[in-house]
Amino acid sequence: MKHRKSLEGSLAVIGTYVPRQCGIATFTHDLVSALTHHVYGRPELAPEVVSVVALNDRDGEYQYGSEVEFQIGQHRKEEYRSAADFLNNSEIAGVCLQHEYGIFGGDCGEYLFELLDRLRKPLVTTLHSIISEPSKKQQEVLQRIGQQSSSVVVMAERGRVLLEQRYGLPPDKIRLIHHGVPDLPFGDTEPFKARFGLSGRPIILTFGLLGPGKSIETVLDALARVVPDNPNVAYVVLGVTHPAIKRESGESYRLSLERRVVELGIQENVIFHNRFASFRDLCAYLQAADIYVTPYREREQITSGTLALAVASGKAVVSTPYWYAEELLGDGRGRLVGFDDVDGFADAINDLVSNEGQRDTLRRAAYAFGRDMTWARVAAQYSDAFVHAQSAASSPKLDVLDRQRIALRLSLPEARLDHLLRLTDDTGILQHAVHSMPGRRHGYSTDDTARAVVVCTMMWSLFHDDRVLRPLETYLAYLFDARPTASGRFRNFMSYDRRWVDTEGSDDCQGRVLWAAGYLIAHAPDETMRKLAGELFESAAASFEHIDSPRSWSFAILGLHYFLRQADDCPDARNRLEMLARRLDGMFARHATEEWPWYEEVVTYDNGRLAQALIIAGLQLNDEAMKERGLRTLHWLLEVQTAGDGHLSIIGNEGWYPVKGERARFDQLPLEPASLIGACKAAYRATDNPVWLAQMRRCFQWYLGKNDGGLSLVDFKTRGCYDGLTAEGVNRNQGAESTVSWLLSLLTMHEMQTGEALPGSLIRSGRPDPG
């Protein structure tokens, strides 16, 4: 069935892709193959007619075929933008998106919009999951995808109903296209059993990626009740453990199933094949099987490739009543059994094993229904969807100005922790370096370690890079050892021989620990780290009644803010945040004048954190005046640190900037741009004014040479940051504070920046408009 004449141009499919082991990867490959063969008439995969944009969950892990022309790292926001450029500048005439929240980066997969918002090609989206009671964010994401798609494909009628009633999508945008399946012949199972050494035995089959949600133990318990009446029955469980489950808990689920088999005494009736079966092997197992079982626990499962394949190949199916099974097995096409209903599975299996006539009736009904699910039919329906999308497309081709805007997008250096890890040993992070060589003489500090926790947690949150987990554990161990003694305060300095050289740390030290703990609680890689961070948080929070430092208050406000993201119903944390914010706001009221809108009589270091804290606290407490004072101080800080040509000129530490005095030009510390970038991030989120994004870029450029010395502060060979800009040039040492400041800045830029060109006046002026 050829539809080439009515479909114009080539297609691209976005999704996970083989050899990645997941159901969507298999579906994407099969859809690409079907479109290539049945729509374009090509016997082999051909990227010139159907190409693939593949989603990676691990860098460089997969060896793809030539049909994969672009790859996106799941947690790399900039690669979604680059994918949009690739698609827009290609001859591709339409894009098919495979959607499931978990395969894309960001909250509920929102990084996807870095691609979709820029895409100028007709879009058809296939939904692999539809949640009946979504979170607000999940609903917003799916509605936005629906708005940007010409057609939305569902694989079950219930999906159509959900999209209309729960998500408000217009009915004419929704298409029901079944999960595609190969066109296998209907026939006797016995000839195929000899290959597996199971001739003459009734075969029950389950295949797919294993995990606790598959509830294989229910079938094992049922099988123990089947074997006395049917001792020759064989249950084949074909498939590897789901990679995500295996990363978290190894093979514990599979091992528990094997133990259960032994305990039940059914060793001669159960066969586990721990491998990802090839398509050919899978078809052979299906043709040999008499009964197929899916005992899944998740009622809202809206599609299942394994069930679709079993039904279309004419199997007698016994399943729990998840949504897709209810629809596919209705009207006498299978047997439905309650969730975790051992007796129900035992009765149904016994009945079908013993009654060949009933088994054959189910098989024929299922096979007849499956004729509408073959890939030839499905490919034709997708072709029709693209013909409709092309006829409805209204977006013009990119004009010259659009192409110039793409060319002007600003890139960011890759976020790499090489030098941070060079400074890190099995104790913590060394404070200082001689050039790039770690300096052991000065040992370690809690100040630097706490900030390193924020860096590693940000790295995990943005990129899910497992390499940060070990140093993060090291930093946490250091902070636990630094916990308060009799003084009630965290210690700060440890010598290289692991002796504490102070009894209590500075006020800044206390605040930075609370900041680090709160940030980790909000973005922890796992629950163990979240609990550890919670213990640190409680230890650090207890000391703030008697701390009088505005910077320490500011760090603590940041930590409390992040904590409240995970525990917004915690009145103690909210009260502490309000107490510290009122203190900080009170200092502003006591010291600020029209010409000097500042909290103290001298502007020193990490100044942006004070403005950031007041902005965030104003938002958290719904105090508009407090937020505006934070914005005012940030605007002033940027104004007084702007040179004549618009570049950032940091207040130096050789005298700082006293009220009614001259500000020092040197030495300029990398700490300050990091604090300003953090404050501009808060300002942008408080105002939605893109001028603050431009200010972030201006501050970031200080590291790269747009400064008073015209010199880069970043060593891209070591990936470290020099310790400061002096009147004579850069301080060539690359210590912990400077490197952590650079990484905090770089990661915040990766988090916030779109790369889009902003109006030139915003960037050239160097002066923000506070309105």
Side-chain angles (χ1 to χ4, degrees), residues 466-582:
D466 288 344
R467 291 172 294 185
V468 305
L469 299 181
R470 186 166 183 177
L472 186 52
E473 289 173 350
T474 298
Y475 302 147
L476 285 175
Y478 182 97
L479 294 182
F480 263 78
D481 200 51
R483 278 188 299 179
T485 56
S487 69
R489 294 166 66 101
F490 278 76
R491 292 168 290 194
N492 196 3
F493 298 114
M494 177 184 278
S495 64
Y496 187 69
D497 60 358
R498 295 186 175 180
R499 289 182 299 106
W500 289 104
V501 297
D502 60 359
T503 56
E504 59 179 66
S506 65
D507 287 349
D508 284 1
C509 166
Q510 314 309 311
R512 286 180 175 130
V513 172
L514 193 60
W515 175 22
Y519 193 86
L520 182 54
I521 287 168
H523 300 284
D526 55 50
E527 283 306 310
T528 298
M529 285 199 182
R530 182 170 282 116
K531 289 178 181 177
L532 292 172
E535 292 183 37
L536 287 174
F537 184 89
E538 287 303 317
S539 297
S543 66
F544 273 84
E545 289 288 340
H546 308 294
I547 287 178
D548 294 324
S549 162
R551 278 163 190 76
S552 185
W553 297 341
S554 300
F555 302 141
I557 288 168
L558 298 182
L560 288 160
H561 161 72
Y562 287 115
F563 174 82
L564 286 167
R565 285 189 178 180
Q566 288 293 314
D568 58 0
D569 59 345
C570 179
D572 286 347
R574 193 181 188 283
N575 291 340
R576 281 174 174 157
L577 184 147
E578 182 169 11
M579 173 192 73
L580 295 175
R582 299 295 175 204

Side-chain angles (χ1 to χ4, degrees), residues 108-292:
C108 297
E110 66 182 348
Y111 284 6
L112 174 62
F113 296 112
E114 299 292 325
L115 190 164
L116 296 188
D117 288 349
R118 294 166 175 79
L119 185 65
R120 293 177 174 86
K121 304 284 183 173
L123 177 68
V124 173
T125 296
T126 305
L127 299 180
H128 291 263
S129 66
I130 306 171
I131 300 171
S132 65
E133 295 296 333
S135 68
K136 181 181 178 182
K137 184 70 173 183
Q138 288 170 331
Q139 181 162 345
E140 289 173 352
V141 165
L142 200 55
Q143 287 174 330
R144 193 168 161 191
I145 290 171
Q147 291 166 0
Q148 295 179 269
S149 302
S150 298
S151 293
V152 175
V153 174
V154 297
M155 301 185 213
E157 185 61 36
R158 189 185 290 266
R160 185 200 299 273
V161 174
L162 276 174
L163 289 183
E164 289 182 26
Q165 296 182 356
R166 188 68 179 84
Y167 294 87
L169 267 64
D172 60 354
K173 184 170 275 195
I174 306 167
R175 290 173 177 256
L176 173 60
I177 302 178
H178 285 295
H179 192 299
V181 293
D183 193 358
L184 297 177
F186 184 88
D188 186 13
T189 61
E190 198 60 37
F192 296 93
K193 295 180 180 181
R195 170 180 170 181
F196 307 113
L198 297 172
S199 296
R201 300 183 67 177
I203 297 178
I204 306 165
L205 175 66
T206 294
F207 71 85
L209 298 171
L210 295 190
K214 296 298 178 70
S215 194
I216 303 299
E217 61 272 19
T218 301
V219 182
L220 297 179
D221 291 347
L223 196 67
R225 305 181 191 193
V226 171
V227 167
D229 294 328
N230 294 282
N232 210 26
V233 71
Y235 179 36
V236 177
V237 182
L238 174 63
V240 298
T241 302
H242 194 291
I245 301 294
K246 192 171 182 178
R247 280 196 295 270
E248 290 296 320
S249 54
E251 292 287 5
S252 58
Y253 180 64
R254 180 183 298 277
L255 293 173
S256 73
L257 296 178
E258 292 173 356
R259 287 195 301 271
R260 202 178 197 108
V261 168
V262 174
E263 291 166 0
L264 293 169
I266 52 175
Q267 299 96 312
E268 296 182 2
N269 304 93
V270 180
I271 303 166
F272 289 103
H273 288 304
N274 186 7
R275 59 190 177 88
F276 195 81
S278 68
F279 175 71
R280 180 176 296 181
D281 281 351
L282 186 55
C283 290
Y285 274 104
L286 274 168
Q287 289 172 304
D290 299 290
I291 300 170
Y292 186 79

